[in-house]
Amino acid sequence: MAGKIEAIACDYDRTLTDESLVLSENAVTSLKSARKNGIKVFLASGRRLPFLLDVNERRGFADVIIAENGAVIYDPADGAKILLGEGLEELRSAFAGVDFVEVEEVIVATTLPYLKDAKEIIRRNGLSVDIELNRNDVMIMPKGVDKGSGIAKAAHIYGIDRENLACIGDAENDLKMFGVAGVKVAVANAVDVLKGEADIVCSEPYGDGVKEFVQSLAA
């Protein structure tokens, strides 16, 4: 393992939750314990900020929320918010009124069956974007914005050296997160491609895998 872990960046769906997207109390308890021991907790997800904010307000386990697949960074302590990426207005305007997408604060979200149609809108409008897949979900983002860039920005803001940063995930869009991590951790239910890149593959799935990793730091 790298040096002493100073921050843990954790995915939400199927990492902190089970397959039914129920949040793991075991994971929450372990992350709160990590915070008490001086480790920063970054909650990083493709989901919108209001949803993640609500989750954290009820549980109080995250120091930083990185929403919309890295595009939005929010500090719950002081309400400071940063939006990452260029061409945000062009992206939102190109997909305004399109019924098969959700236009979020920065990114545009849809599902795999509509990927071809979304690519046609991107081509027609000459947009410079990145497309990321997360199981059946498709995220369209400003060029260069992803979970990795969002986490790297947050680490810089909070003075965390990347070699002391652990990232925990389960799906394809967590590969970019792994790219900025000192320690790459895959829960047991992770897709094979992520497990192949991981430094640590937990023996437990979902939130119990998060708990397993956090407890290993205190061993």
Side-chain angles (χ1 to χ4, degrees):
M1 193 180 286
K4 177 178 167 59
I5 297 301
E6 296 176 354
I8 299 170
C10 197
D11 172 53
Y12 184 75
D13 291 313
R14 301 179 186 86
T15 301
L16 284 177
T17 79
D18 61 16
E19 200 68 32
S20 302
L21 306 185
V22 175
L23 182 61
S24 163
E25 295 301 335
N26 283 342
V28 167
T29 300
S30 66
L31 290 172
K32 287 171 86 166
S33 170
R35 287 185 72 196
K36 283 181 183 173
N37 290 328
I39 297 173
K40 293 277 188 193
V41 174
F42 298 171
L43 174 57
S45 171
R47 286 183 179 262
R48 291 178 173 180
L49 179 60
F51 173 86
L52 299 170
L53 201 50
D54 181 59
V55 167
N56 189 57
E57 278 179 351
R58 286 184 283 118
R59 301 305 206 293
F61 63 92
D63 295 283
V64 185
I65 297 173
I66 301 163
E68 293 194 23
N69 212 48
V72 181
I73 300 173
Y74 184 85
D75 186 330
D78 62 9
K81 179 165 66 171
I82 298 170
L83 304 183
L84 301 183
E86 297 179 359
L88 306 187
E89 287 306 320
E90 292 86 344
L91 176 57
R92 283 196 290 253
S93 136
F95 283 93
V98 176
D99 61 5
F100 60 81
V101 303
E102 288 185 18
V103 180
E104 303 184 359
E105 196 161 6
V106 174
I107 74 172
V108 172
T110 187
T111 54
L112 273 178
Y114 298 106
L115 178 57
K116 185 178 177 183
D117 295 328
K119 283 182 173 178
E120 176 55 26
I121 292 173
I122 291 165
R123 185 198 64 77
R124 206 163 56 232
N125 287 274
L127 297 176
S128 176
V129 296
D130 287 331
I131 297 173
E132 282 211 15
L133 306 181
N134 178 15
R135 297 180 187 259
N136 191 51
D137 295 324
V138 175
M139 287 165 283
I140 303 162
M141 296 159 295
K143 204 79 177 167
V145 173
D146 53 49
K147 270 191 183 176
S149 64
I151 289 168
K153 178 74 172 177
H156 176 72
I157 291 169
Y158 294 94
I160 306 295
D161 192 311
R162 286 199 213 165
E163 72 174 22
N164 300 320
L165 169 67
C167 290
I168 311 177
D170 77 296
E172 295 92 342
N173 68 324
D174 296 323
L175 285 168
K176 293 288 177 69
M177 185 165 79
F178 273 16
V180 301
V183 179
K184 310 171 186 70
V185 184
V187 285
N189 56 290
V191 295
D192 288 342
V193 66
L194 197 72
K195 286 180 177 177
E197 294 295 323
D199 300 311
I200 298 168
V201 178
C202 300
S203 58
E204 296 289 339
Y206 309 111
D208 285 340
V210 175
K211 176 185 174 183
E212 175 188 332
F213 172 71
V214 174
Q215 287 186 335
S216 76
L217 300 179

